[in-house]
Amino acid sequence: MDTQETCFMEMALKEAKKAFAKNEVPIGCVLVLDGKVIAKAHNLVESKKQAWAHAELLCIQKASLKLGDFRLKGATLYCTLEPCLMCAGAIVLSRIQRVVYAAKDLRHGAIVSQFQLFSQPHPIHHPSFEPGPFEKESADLLKDFFKLQRKKNSGKSGTCAH
């Protein structure tokens, strides 16, 4: 991975930190085409009250609007976490050429962890994928976020008062 690609993943990590600051699961991504950043995004599930508002989908949406086409041929998506099945499906459908991810998602990952969507033959498109830099930083940010969430929720009562 060259210096420029490390820089793109660092941008994705900055997006994840923005999500953390908004009390969102800290995942960020950056979409690059021809060496230029086309779109950046971070999770906004809680803010938008939408289960689909993942960083990858928001980034793909921004890029498609900017380019005037849902086909993002030749683009690389840099993600701080391995995409889930929903996001991996959108990556295939939008024809993104390559995905670089930092941390694996052992619970929901759809590239190498739980599912191997990109390893399955597909008649339209077959993205390449590879692990990238900042795996530890991305994983630590997620661990810190969920540790903080557990601490916040530990004082709340889980009983129902009638």
Side-chain angles (χ1 to χ4, degrees), residues 68-138:
D69 194 349
F70 75 90
R71 294 170 197 88
L72 302 172
K73 292 180 181 181
T76 298
L77 188 65
Y78 296 87
C79 308
T80 59
L81 186 67
E82 175 187 0
C84 70
L85 194 55
M86 175 178 65
C87 294
I91 289 164
V92 170
L93 293 173
S94 52
R95 318 308 197 268
I96 291 172
Q97 180 179 329
R98 183 169 156 250
V99 175
V100 180
Y101 60 90
K104 289 181 183 176
D105 185 347
L106 301 177
R107 290 180 15 179
H108 303 290
I111 297 176
V112 297
S113 297
Q114 280 296 321
F115 308 98
Q116 293 79 40
L117 185 66
F118 295 173
S119 299
Q120 304 300 315
H122 192 274
I124 297 172
H125 184 64
H126 186 82
S128 65
F129 58 92
E130 63 189 85
F134 301 111
E135 177 181 7
K136 182 181 182 335
E137 294 86 345
S138 296

Side-chain angles (χ1 to χ4, degrees), residues 18-90:
K18 289 178 186 178
F20 189 108
K22 293 177 180 177
N23 205 33
E24 297 277 357
V25 176
I27 300 168
C29 64
V30 173
L31 190 125
V32 175
L33 182 63
D34 298 327
K36 295 177 185 163
V37 174
I38 303 301
K40 299 185 277 186
H42 53 272
N43 268 9
L44 290 175
V45 172
E46 297 295 334
S47 302
K48 291 185 172 283
K49 305 291 186 231
Q50 297 291 329
W52 60 263
H54 289 197
E56 298 92 336
L57 294 183
L58 295 169
C59 194
I60 289 168
Q61 182 182 43
K62 285 180 183 180
S64 295
L65 290 171
K66 185 173 184 176
L67 297 175
D69 194 349
F70 75 90
R71 294 170 197 88
L72 302 172
K73 292 180 181 181
T76 298
L77 188 65
Y78 296 87
C79 308
T80 59
L81 186 67
E82 175 187 0
C84 70
L85 194 55
M86 175 178 65
C87 294

Side-chain angles (χ1 to χ4, degrees), residues 1-12 78 132-134:
M1 183 136 315
D2 66 22
T3 307
Q4 188 177 29
E5 290 200 311
T6 300
C7 181
F8 295 141
M9 188 61 86
E10 191 171 21
M11 287 181 193
Y78 296 87
F134 301 111

